[in-house]
Amino acid sequence: MAAALEARKFNNLLSVAGLSRTTLDEHYRLYCGYVQKANSLTERLIAVQETPRLANTANTADIVNIKNDLCFALAAVRNHEMYFEILGDSKTPYPQTFVDRISVDFGSIENYIEDLRRTASGTRGWAWTVLDHLTGRLWNLSGQHNGLFPFWNARPIVTLDLCDHAYFYDFGHHRVDY
């Protein structure tokens, strides 16, 4: 049987400059819901897979639907974990290799930040800075939904949640201020 996921604790969420306790608590509660949903879907998937295949392929359709939902839930879990890990962590400097790579790929830290802001302002889901392992290049990429990570063989380095729940309590409709 598959091991159940457990919601991780993020001590840095106790206090994040610019975000209220309400936003942080509600955002974490949403993440915990995705963990529960992923566990529930995993249990359903195992039960359906253990059911003998039906002649009318309803079993196959159930498996595909559950897997689609599971992909979304697992991506939501992973995205939020990456986001929470870096949120409010201004004490840990980025490694010099990351800073050097920014200079090569974007020309300057200012250009990188501007590109990330533009990427973020054009999405309703997530924005990531990823290291493409094939080219060694950094990219700022966006995805409209949890289940749409935009790049294979890339490691996310910076993760921004741009869904309303990440900022609305504190910034209302002023997402750009977030």
Side-chain angles (χ1 to χ4, degrees):
M1 172 152 261
L5 295 174
E6 290 186 32
R8 292 176 45 196
K9 302 290 184 205
F10 299 93
N11 293 331
N12 56 320
L13 292 183
L14 298 175
S15 167
V16 175
L19 294 176
S20 69
R21 189 80 215 148
T22 299
T23 291
L24 297 170
D25 288 346
E26 291 300 318
H27 203 165
Y28 183 76
R29 190 177 351 267
L30 177 74
Y31 156 73
C32 291
Y34 281 125
V35 170
Q36 291 173 347
K37 185 68 170 174
N39 287 331
S40 171
L41 288 165
T42 299
E43 289 175 14
R44 281 183 53 210
L45 181 62
I46 291 168
V48 170
Q49 287 173 328
E50 291 173 350
T51 302
R53 183 182 168 107
L54 303 175
N56 66 7
T57 69
N59 188 268
T60 300
D62 286 345
I63 288 172
V64 169
N65 289 331
I66 294 168
K67 284 185 176 185
N68 286 338
D69 291 345
L70 182 59
C71 179
F72 186 90
L74 288 172
V77 168
R78 300 302 191 278
N79 283 336
H80 281 94
E81 287 175 348
M82 288 184 291
Y83 174 72
F84 291 153
E85 282 175 0
I86 67 167
L87 189 63
D89 187 9
S90 61
K91 296 178 182 86
T92 304
Y94 280 107
Q96 189 60 44
T97 54
F98 177 62
V99 175
D100 293 344
R101 193 74 241 169
I102 286 173
S103 296
V104 170
D105 294 334
F106 294 94
S108 68
I109 190 76
E110 294 79 16
N111 290 346
Y112 160 75
I113 291 170
E114 180 60 24
D115 186 73
L116 184 57
R117 280 190 180 134
R118 286 182 180 184
T119 301
S121 70
T123 186
R124 293 184 312 261
W126 293 84
W128 302 274
T129 300
V130 301
L131 174 62
D132 176 5
H133 292 296
L134 294 175
T135 65
R137 188 187 195 297
L138 293 174
W139 299 96
N140 289 324
L141 303 171
S142 65
Q144 298 300 325
H145 304 289
N146 282 318
L148 297 176
F149 182 73
F151 234 54
W152 290 99
N153 202 18
R155 182 176 57 127
I157 297 170
V158 174
T159 307
L160 299 175
D161 188 345
L162 298 158
C163 298
D164 294 351
H165 63 258
Y167 64 86
F168 198 81
Y169 286 109
D170 298 327
F171 297 96
H173 294 287
H174 306 283
R175 184 170 73 153
V176 73
D177 294 339
Y178 161 72

